[in-house]
Amino acid sequence: MDSILYVIIIIFCCLFLLGNTATAFLTKKLFYIKGYNGGFLLGLFLGIIGLIYAVGLPMKTNENLTNNKKEKIEVVRELNNDIQDEIVEIDSDAPIENYTTCSNCGFPIYEDETKCSNCGTKR
């Protein structure tokens, strides 16, 4: 009698896990369709309750998605401007006219250097 009870419990658990796995995939798909991420674990642990929750979620509007994309583009533009400003600062710090070129390799030798930093030829 006890062995039959164990078999019934095992079959019930397998069917329960199989059903919750199916609802987990459905919940994940509904989350994706409505514009959200995740949902699999909600469907796996809560089963039909998680699926009902996913059905009740509102759709994300295109306006919200468009605004989010606009914000990202603006952040990238600001970063690009900052990088351009830093490049200009770095370029302006380097001495441009206070050097001669190495007779051996053509590498610039600045006034404070006594030999070429590329090939080692003396000035």
Side-chain angles (χ1 to χ4, degrees):
M1 185 71 177
D2 288 335
S3 62
I4 294 174
L5 182 62
Y6 290 134
V7 170
I8 291 173
I9 290 173
I10 290 172
I11 291 173
F12 177 77
C13 289
C14 289
L15 290 175
F16 181 77
L17 288 174
L18 185 65
N20 277 8
T21 304
T23 58
F25 282 109
L26 289 172
T27 305
K28 180 180 179 185
K29 185 68 173 175
L30 278 172
F31 267 61
Y32 176 75
I33 290 171
K34 294 191 175 203
Y36 296 94
N37 293 329
F40 183 82
L41 292 177
L42 185 72
L44 184 66
F45 290 121
L46 296 181
I48 194 74
I49 296 170
L51 188 61
I52 292 170
Y53 176 78
V55 169
L57 280 174
M59 294 284 287
K60 279 192 172 179
T61 61
N62 286 338
E63 181 179 311
N64 291 343
L65 295 175
T66 304
N67 288 340
N68 192 14
K69 189 180 277 187
K70 287 179 184 176
E71 289 173 7
K72 287 180 181 177
I73 289 172
E74 193 61 36
V75 167
V76 169
R77 284 185 181 155
E78 289 175 12
L79 288 172
N80 190 22
N81 289 338
D82 291 344
I83 290 171
Q84 291 296 330
D85 292 342
E86 288 184 26
I87 289 172
V88 169
E89 288 176 11
I90 290 170
D91 286 345
S92 64
D93 290 343
I96 296 173
E97 297 148 4
N98 300 332
Y99 71 91
T100 58
T101 56
C102 176
S103 59
N104 188 28
C105 67
F107 202 76
I109 303 173
Y110 296 102
E111 286 181 354
D112 59 338
E113 297 176 330
T114 58
K115 62 180 182 175
C116 177
S117 59
N118 188 39
C119 67
T121 305
K122 291 187 179 181
R123 202 169 196 188

